Amino acid sequence: MAQRLLYADDEDSLRELVRSHLSLEGFDVETARDGKEAVEAIDKQKFDLILLDLRMPKMDGFAVLQYLAKLQNPPPVIMLTGVDDVAIASQCIKMGAADYLTKPYNFHELIESVERVLAR
Amino acid sequence: MAVRILYIDDEEDLRMLIQSQLLLDGYEVDVVGEGMAAVERIAHTPYDVVLLDLHLQDMGGDEVVEELQRRGLQANIVILTGDTSDDARERCVALGATQFLHKPFHFKELTSSIKYALAHHGGQGRNGSPDGAGGTIA
């Protein structure tokens, strides 16, 4: 069965571009437009991995990570961060994120990170 | 010589991902988020293909096409459009645009559009063929 990913990002076209690419790679992908939608999806469904943009409206990626930290056996998280967010990215790792990708990343780096984290 | 692309879109993270991915595929890629900055780029740099989102921070994609025409600048443009009934899209058609890519697109659709634009317009934007042909907007 395909592994289920949740990908949360507030940019519409980017979200669909990444979703379609991950789907082509064989993953079952759910998307969220912001942190609040991501939390709602996490409450309702089971995911093997979560990709979180750090900067999102309503509830940012860090807040979602904090929410996940309170759950029992939360799925692993990859944070997607900007070049200016290195300090926050390392904070995310301390909070339990499995990995982080700094923008600009390409699909090769994204898939590599996803597969590396899922293989753990 | 690598194919030179200008990608114009107001979504910053999308711009970065597309630039990064197209670079990996061997293209030379510049990206901008604003229409007037795009016009200035096209005025000073010969691009083989220009990918132009209809909705930008400072102006519409149709206004970019108009401004290029006003300045007599040629470009091999693919319009990125989210809504087929969009007025801005219709204005682009009226201005001579013939190449469109519907958003959201898959990355393969984007590269197919680039290849189609190159094949059908032969890099006229870069070589500056004065008469143009097909969908080259001048």
Side-chain angles (χ1 to χ4, degrees), chain A residues 29-92:
Chain A
V29 189
E30 191 79 21
T31 59
R33 284 180 291 189
D34 52 51
K36 193 166 167 285
E37 274 194 13
V39 164
E40 284 166 7
I42 290 161
D43 283 344
K44 287 179 194 157
Q45 301 169 59
K46 190 172 166 5
F47 296 102
D48 297 300
L49 175 72
I50 298 174
L51 293 152
L52 288 177
D53 187 26
L54 181 62
R55 297 180 186 275
M56 291 186 289
K58 293 184 184 172
M59 189 174 177
D60 67 14
F62 192 76
V64 178
L65 194 63
Q66 285 176 316
Y67 176 81
L68 282 162
K70 291 174 189 161
L71 302 180
Q72 278 195 330
N73 300 319
V77 173
I78 298 172
M79 299 298 296
L80 307 169
T81 66
V83 282
D84 299 329
D85 299 325
V86 177
I88 303 172
S90 61
Q91 192 63 33
C92 289

Side-chain angles (χ1 to χ4, degrees), chain A residues 11 13 16-17 103 105 107, chain B residues 11 13-14 17 21 103-104:
Chain A
E11 285 191 17
S13 298
E16 286 309 308
L17 181 70
K103 297 164 193 172
Y105 54 83
F107 284 130
Chain B
E11 289 190 44
D13 290 351
L14 180 67
L17 176 59
Q21 193 64 29
K103 288 176 90 176

Side-chain angles (χ1 to χ4, degrees), chain B residues 65-122:
Chain B
V65 173
E66 268 178 334
E67 182 62 17
L68 290 173
Q69 291 193 345
R70 198 182 65 76
R71 296 193 190 190
L73 297 168
Q74 288 198 0
N76 186 7
I77 297 177
V78 178
I79 308 282
L80 308 175
T81 172
D83 182 352
T84 49
S85 64
D86 199 310
D87 286 346
R89 182 189 190 280
E90 294 310 315
R91 280 197 292 277
C92 287
V93 172
L95 289 164
T98 59
Q99 303 179 97
F100 294 90
L101 177 60
H102 195 267
K103 288 176 90 176
F105 47 75
H106 299 208
F107 190 70
K108 280 184 181 170
E109 292 171 330
L110 181 73
T111 51
S112 295
S113 281
I114 290 170
K115 285 171 187 161
Y116 182 88
L118 287 169
H120 288 77
H121 303 281

Side-chain angles (χ1 to χ4, degrees), chain B residues 2 14 62 127:
Chain B
L14 180 67
D62 55 323
N127 297 326

